[in-house]
């Protein structure tokens, strides 16, 4: 296959991807985002590691 045909195929695929607009299920997206915010609301995800690994010798207060 020559370079011209290859470039034409790449251009065709790029154009299809550029203008492709899938249907978005906004209610499913809303549920997913709501469940994520409920999981992490008010919690520090690193708190358990901070308590476990923070020691006085790690401080740079010199």
């Amino acid at each position: 296959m020559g370079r011209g045909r290859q470039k034409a195929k790449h251009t065709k695929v790029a154009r299809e991807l550029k203008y492709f607009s899938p249907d978005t299920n906004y209610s499913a997206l809303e549920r997913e985002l709501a469940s994520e915010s409920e999981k992490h609301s008010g919690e520090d995800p690193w708190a358990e590691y901070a308590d476990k690994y923070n020691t006085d010798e790690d401080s740079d207060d010199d």
Side-chain angles (χ1 to χ4, degrees):
M1 181 167 30
R3 175 69 180 132
R5 289 176 59 188
Q6 184 180 10
K7 185 173 189 271
K9 285 186 177 188
H10 285 282
T11 303
K12 178 182 175 186
V13 170
R15 190 174 293 120
E16 288 174 357
L17 291 173
K18 180 178 180 182
Y19 296 110
F20 176 68
S21 178
D23 295 332
T24 304
N25 186 345
Y26 291 106
S27 59
L29 177 62
E30 183 179 10
R31 284 193 307 270
E32 183 178 339
L33 292 175
S35 68
E36 285 294 319
S37 65
E38 289 173 4
K39 288 180 189 176
H40 300 294
S41 61
E43 292 181 17
D44 181 11
W46 302 105
E48 65 179 279
Y49 299 109
D51 294 339
K52 186 175 180 180
Y53 293 107
N54 281 347
T55 61
D56 291 336
E57 60 192 47
D58 289 340
S59 65
D60 293 331
D61 295 336
D62 294 333

